[in-house]
Amino acid sequence: MRPCNLTVDDLSVRFGGLVAVDQLSLHAPAGTITGLIGPNGAGKTTTFNACTGFVKATTGSVRLGPESLAHHGPAARAKKGLGRTFQRMELWNN
């Protein structure tokens, strides 16, 4: 699998009347480290969830290389090289 650029254009995510991400565009070139920073509640996790398919974008597009990921779920996106991990706050169950 060859690394591909990640391109997000005009991504918006709404939960009812709440706008979590509002027309975000970004470009993460293959082979580089790209950071997404902001305060709590800025929409960073929602952006990652929309890019990886765990949340449906209201508007906008997510592309890996030239390919749109609009009709791919999380598993198909991960097979193409775009996945995520989930943070666990505790080290042990008890």
Side-chain angles (χ1 to χ4, degrees), residues 37-90:
I37 60 172
N40 290 344
K44 300 176 301 292
T45 300
T46 302
T47 297
F48 285 118
N49 286 339
C51 288
T52 55
F54 286 94
V55 169
K56 184 169 175 49
T58 306
T59 62
S61 66
V62 178
R63 292 189 321 274
L64 198 55
E67 182 178 3
S68 171
L69 300 178
H71 301 291
H72 298 295
R77 293 178 193 213
K79 283 183 181 180
K80 293 181 181 299
L82 181 61
R84 64 156 298 168
T85 61
F86 294 91
Q87 182 177 349
R88 284 193 59 133
M89 297 306 290
E90 70 272 351

Side-chain angles (χ1 to χ4, degrees), residues 14-36:
R14 293 177 180 266
F15 299 107
L18 174 73
V19 179
V21 178
D22 191 18
Q23 296 181 322
L24 172 80
S25 293
L26 66 86
H27 181 74
T32 65
I33 296 173
T34 302
L36 182 60

